[in-house]
Amino acid sequence: MTDVKAGVEYKINVDGNSFLLDGKKYQLLESILDTESMTESAKSIKVSYRTALNYIDKIESALNVKIVNTTKGGKGGGGGTTLTDEGYSILKECKKINAIMELHKDVNEIESEVLDIDESKGIMTVKMKQFEINTPLNRNYKVGDKLLALISYDNIFVMLEPQTSSIRNIIKGRIIEMKLEKEVIRVKIDVGGLNLYSDITLSAEKDLNLTIGKEVYIGFKAMSVATLKL
């Protein structure tokens, strides 16, 4: 079973209905997929059978869809519980979120909004606080959609002057914190009221002569930004 951290919640949307699926309920759905048994799935997440049924009922009632099919065994047994297509789709979306978060363990999470979509260039313009950035185009999005943009710490570059390069997003900011994390310097930068983190090498920190309060520019490629629809 996939390891899910305590406190993790997945916002699921189905035809205008939404539900916050916590880690326990996610693991229940995953176990149903694997075991095709409500009894075994309840045991695997250490809840009673009745509690597991209650979890399913809450999800189905909130989303107004059926997420499991239950069959009763006759004389020879053979009953079980399986995910419906809708239930499997919900589980798949949660798995996608887990995969993105696993790839970006140290990640900046920024609430954003889609401002413009450029089909010809394959990019979107999204707004974060007081600035705008470019991200890869996701054709499932439309202008006005609320997103969570994810940018890994080690994908953000720190510069003393803005540079023209393959970096598509360049933003001016100010260093407000510096910490040694293992073998890198974790730099906290205030960019227009939004705090972003960048991991840089010890040699880069020395070459740039970085200090708290210093004005710098940060840059990152559009392709380094992952997005999730809120």
Side-chain angles (χ1 to χ4, degrees):
M1 183 178 293
T2 303
D3 180 30
V4 180
K5 294 181 180 179
V8 171
E9 289 186 325
Y10 308 87
K11 187 174 182 180
I12 306 300
N13 295 284
V14 177
D15 296 332
N17 300 312
S18 63
F19 183 80
L20 283 176
L21 188 77
D22 62 27
K24 201 85 165 178
K25 296 179 182 66
Y26 165 82
Q27 289 180 328
L28 176 64
L29 296 184
E30 188 176 42
S31 184
I32 290 172
L33 178 66
D34 292 338
T35 68
E36 297 189 353
S37 168
M38 184 67 75
T39 301
E40 292 301 317
S41 297
K43 288 179 180 178
S44 72
I45 65 170
K46 298 180 174 59
V47 300
S48 69
Y49 181 83
R50 184 178 295 277
T51 297
L53 288 177
N54 187 47
Y55 284 170
I56 297 299
D57 182 63
K58 284 183 177 179
I59 300 169
E60 292 184 337
S61 296
L63 298 178
N64 195 30
V65 294
K66 189 171 180 59
I67 63 171
V68 298
N69 283 322
T70 301
T71 57
K72 295 182 179 180
K75 292 181 179 180
T81 302
T82 57
L83 295 180
T84 63
D85 289 343
E86 290 81 3
Y88 181 74
S89 294
I90 289 170
L91 182 61
K92 186 169 68 173
E93 286 304 308
C94 294
K95 285 180 177 289
K96 286 181 183 178
I97 296 171
N98 280 347
I100 291 173
M101 295 307 294
E102 183 64 25
L103 289 172
H104 301 275
K105 289 183 178 178
D106 292 326
V107 65
N108 294 286
E109 302 180 15
I110 312 108
E111 291 190 6
S112 316
E113 179 182 345
V114 179
L115 289 184
D116 184 59
I117 292 176
D118 190 329
E119 293 274 357
S120 63
K121 294 182 179 179
I123 62 172
M124 306 183 298
T125 301
V126 303
K127 183 177 182 181
M128 300 177 174
K129 290 282 188 180
Q130 300 176 11
F131 58 90
E132 300 172 9
I133 69 166
N134 292 320
T135 73
L137 175 63
N138 185 319
R139 288 177 171 79
N140 293 322
Y141 299 161
K142 61 181 184 297
V143 172
D145 279 348
K146 305 296 183 182
L147 308 177
L148 185 65
L150 309 174
I151 313 171
S152 178
Y153 294 176
D154 56 10
N155 279 333
I156 293 183
F157 305 91
V158 178
M159 304 167 284
L160 298 182
E161 298 291 339
Q163 300 175 6
T164 302
S165 69
S166 59
I167 297 173
R168 300 289 297 275
N169 300 290
I170 298 177
I171 309 166
K172 187 176 183 179
R174 181 175 59 86
I175 297 174
I176 59 176
E177 184 178 281
M178 297 175 63
K179 286 184 178 181
L180 179 63
E181 297 279 349
K182 297 181 180 179
E183 297 181 359
V184 300
I185 301 293
R186 181 155 295 172
V187 185
K188 184 178 181 180
I189 304 160
D190 177 3
V191 288
L194 179 67
N195 294 330
L196 297 180
Y197 290 88
S198 171
D199 282 348
I200 64 172
T201 63
L202 294 171
S203 60
E205 183 268 340
K206 183 177 180 181
D207 292 342
L208 295 171
N209 189 26
L210 300 181
T211 57
I212 293 176
K214 190 166 189 172
E215 289 191 345
V216 294
Y217 291 86
I218 63 168
F220 49 92
K221 297 178 182 179
M223 291 301 296
S224 68
V225 184
T227 57
L228 298 173
K229 190 173 180 180
L230 295 176

